[in-house]
Amino acid sequence: MIIVTTDHIPSKEIKDIVGYVQGGTICKKNLGKDSSISFMMGGELNLFAEMLVEAKHVALNHMANDAKRGGANAIIGLRVIQTPVMQGAIEIFVYGTGVVI
């Protein structure tokens, strides 16, 4: 499935607009005491960074499945919202417009 942030897909004609599609997830990792050491030393929190990437993939898959259920084979206008919901947990919400190309 093609997913783009723009309102069109270069060299593709949009034949039909299916409508709003969405996906989301909330992920939490136990960062442990290594996170406080890394934070104080100014290092990257690798576990948290990995969690963000993993959560974004899960949310995008949920959105793609939503689009497929509606008959879309592409998504335009992708938007991503990341919101901390509690310590060590983040919500990733993605949405866009499902289209047929």
Side-chain angles (χ1 to χ4, degrees), residues 69-89:
R69 281 191 300 275
N73 61 2
I75 298 169
I76 60 173
L78 170 68
R79 299 295 181 262
V80 179
I81 300 171
Q82 300 179 116
T83 307
V85 291
M86 59 189 285
Q87 186 172 359

Side-chain angles (χ1 to χ4, degrees), residues 3 21-22 26 44 46 50-52 56 62 69 74 76 81 91 94:
I3 301 174
V21 294
Q22 66 179 359
I26 298 175
E44 181 176 350
N46 289 330
E50 290 171 12
M51 180 187 71
L52 289 175
K56 195 179 304 182
H62 289 318
R69 281 191 300 275
I76 60 173
I81 300 171
E91 174 189 29
V94 295

